Amino acid sequence: MYGFQSWLASRGQAVALALDERSERICDHAAARFAEQYPTLMLDLPRPDAEMFQQLAFRETPRRLHRLLQVALRFQTLAVIEREYRWSWGILPRFGITLAHMHALARTYFESARVLVMFDQTDRPYFELLEMNVLQLIERSAPMDQLRVHLPQQRYYANGHANGHSNGHSNGHAVH
């Protein structure tokens, strides 16, 4: 069993090649699944090209992630992924894209890849680890306002207890 960095160094090229051989099918499958999950995302009806713009965004977004993974696997570093997501936070929220959307797209891409690529038995657990690392990088790159939306929130009331309960137990619901 390798460490993750050792796996990247020894198997990154082969995994990149396997993904690239099936890239069109992976990306098309991921785009279709993502569009099903979020049918109104990026649909700006006042735009004259609203549907075309949305379809283009759905089509190209998994391809962009694919290209990032190609670079990361071939150069054996995930830093490029983190930098790309840090940059994207300056643009994507204008289109209603949230951390949940970014996570969902990454998960959809990885699920599609697992279905469509026959990974070596040795590579499977590392590919799952790659997915977990990518999801963590997406989250780590997110600005605080995005994290606040996705982290459990607690409100403290006059009695000093979270969510107003005095028994020390929260009801599990955040008060907004």
Side-chain angles (χ1 to χ4, degrees):
M1 194 83 165
Y2 302 104
F4 183 72
Q5 289 300 323
S6 297
W7 174 79
L8 269 180
S10 66
R11 298 288 303 149
Q13 293 282 345
V15 171
L17 183 60
L19 289 170
D20 216 29
E21 287 174 352
R22 307 289 267 170
S23 65
E24 284 303 308
R25 291 195 60 209
I26 293 167
C27 293
D28 288 347
H29 188 259
R33 295 264 333 271
F34 191 68
E36 286 173 15
Q37 287 177 295
Y38 300 101
T40 61
L41 184 65
M42 297 193 63
L43 185 59
D44 184 9
L45 292 177
R47 284 181 74 122
D49 65 340
E51 286 184 34
M52 236 174 44
F53 177 77
Q54 182 195 43
Q55 289 170 2
L56 180 65
F58 283 154
R59 179 179 137 54
E60 291 304 317
T61 303
R63 283 164 175 76
R64 188 169 185 92
L65 176 57
H66 174 78
R67 288 188 298 272
L68 283 172
L69 288 170
Q70 289 294 303
V71 171
L73 289 164
R74 292 176 192 273
F75 290 103
Q76 299 136 26
T77 180
L78 301 183
V80 68
I81 294 172
E82 185 171 10
R83 283 188 204 113
E84 181 73 11
Y85 278 97
R86 281 194 194 286
W87 171 84
S88 71
W89 282 111
I91 296 169
L92 295 178
R94 292 183 225 159
F95 297 98
I97 307 295
T98 66
L99 179 58
H101 297 124
M102 290 184 182
H103 270 184
L105 178 70
R107 282 189 187 105
T108 301
Y109 175 91
F110 280 95
E111 287 169 10
S112 298
R114 277 192 292 276
V115 167
L116 296 167
V117 177
M118 298 305 294
F119 288 110
D120 181 280
Q121 195 73 358
T122 305
D123 292 328
R124 285 185 194 140
Y126 291 102
F127 191 71
E128 289 181 20
L129 192 55
L130 175 63
E131 177 182 8
M132 289 189 320
N133 279 307
V134 168
L135 292 171
Q136 288 173 352
L137 290 171
I138 292 169
E139 192 166 309
R140 192 166 66 205
S141 70
M144 284 306 292
D145 63 328
Q146 285 291 318
L147 293 174
R148 274 190 226 110
V149 171
H150 298 284
L151 296 175
Q153 296 179 6
Q154 288 188 343
R155 299 278 173 107
Y156 290 87
Y157 292 85
N159 65 9
H161 296 283
N163 295 330
H165 293 275
S166 60
N167 64 1
H169 296 90
S170 168
N171 65 3
H173 301 284
V175 177
H176 300 284

